[in-house]
Amino acid sequence: MLLNLFTLQKLQTMVSALLLILFTSNFIVFSLQASPGAHGPNGEHLDTNNQAQALVNPKFEGFTEAYELVGELLDNQLIIYLHDFKTNIPVKNASIELDLDGQVAQANFSEQLGAYSLSKQALLGKLQQPSIHEIILTITTEESGDLLFVNLDNSKVHTAELSHGDEEHVHFPWHMFVVALAVFAGGVLLGRQMKGSKA
């Protein structure tokens, strides 16, 4: 009876140690998977998705005494945010005309976006070509009018995107290493327990 009780206590200790090792290894594995620089199944950076999206879209900005303006080139439209320079309040009822190498287009205000959008395909196609584009913006409201010269640098964004897409990632399966280490430690502990119980 004492031998069975002693064996049962040893077995409980062994099981507790194995469970502790298992939970610790799972914790380490999940911590590694969510660490900075982690990659998804297709090689995408999991922790920098928003940053990457912000870098992919080319932008321009400019300001005058009356207005400040930021533009963002998306796949199917150009979004322009226009604010009053002094108060930083969005300007809703302005007329914004873009001139790119003599090609002129009008941006319209969208209540849904809270910004001006331009979706003229000919102009967008030109802006999406990798280059530094010089844009002339004419802003007119009932109170005033302004002329802005801005540059949309689309060359660096494409270069960075291509260089990241072309690089090859070699990943060591760290989670498998941790699991193997946990199994090895559990085996050593089990072997010592069995050796101790035979003696």
Side-chain angles (χ1 to χ4, degrees):
M1 184 70 178
L2 278 174
L3 186 61
N4 286 341
L5 187 60
F6 180 73
T7 306
L8 186 61
Q9 286 176 339
K10 289 272 189 185
L11 188 61
Q12 280 181 326
T13 306
M14 256 185 345
V15 169
S16 298
L18 284 173
L19 285 174
L20 179 64
I21 290 169
L22 186 64
F23 286 131
T24 305
S25 64
N26 279 338
F27 176 77
I28 292 170
V29 167
F30 287 120
S31 297
L32 287 174
Q33 287 178 349
S35 64
H39 291 80
N42 297 322
E44 72 273 17
H45 289 273
L46 296 178
D47 58 331
T48 58
N49 196 20
N50 292 336
Q51 292 174 347
Q53 187 63 35
L55 291 174
V56 169
N57 296 330
K59 295 178 177 58
F60 62 82
E61 59 184 30
F63 63 91
T64 65
E65 290 181 8
Y67 305 108
E68 60 183 342
L69 175 138
V70 175
E72 182 177 13
L73 180 63
L74 305 177
D75 290 336
N76 58 353
Q77 64 183 336
L78 176 69
I79 305 292
I80 300 170
Y81 301 94
L82 181 66
H83 289 243
D84 183 271
F85 186 78
K86 293 176 185 169
T87 63
N88 203 27
I89 295 172
V91 178
K92 294 183 178 182
N93 297 320
S95 169
I96 301 177
E97 185 181 87
L98 280 85
D99 184 342
L100 177 66
D101 298 329
Q103 194 171 359
V104 180
Q106 190 78 26
N108 301 313
F109 185 76
S110 165
E111 286 287 343
Q112 184 181 1
L113 295 171
Y116 294 83
S117 69
L118 184 139
S119 54
K120 186 176 179 183
Q121 292 304 315
L123 191 78
L124 289 175
K126 205 168 188 179
L127 286 173
Q128 288 167 345
Q129 294 174 0
S131 182
I132 298 173
H133 303 285
E134 294 179 2
I135 305 169
I136 303 169
L137 293 135
T138 307
I139 304 163
T140 52
T141 61
E142 291 179 2
E143 295 85 28
S144 65
D146 260 317
L147 197 62
L148 267 169
F149 294 88
V150 294
N151 289 325
L152 177 74
D153 189 353
N154 204 4
S155 58
K156 292 178 187 173
V157 174
H158 283 285
T159 306
E161 195 177 13
L162 289 173
S163 66
H164 180 71
D166 293 341
E167 70 184 28
E168 289 188 24
H169 294 290
V170 178
H171 300 285
F172 184 81
W174 286 104
H175 61 282
M176 293 302 287
F177 176 77
V178 171
V179 170
L181 187 63
V183 170
F184 175 77
V188 168
L189 185 63
L190 183 64
R192 285 189 179 183
Q193 293 289 337
M194 294 297 246
K195 190 176 179 182
S197 65
K198 286 181 182 177

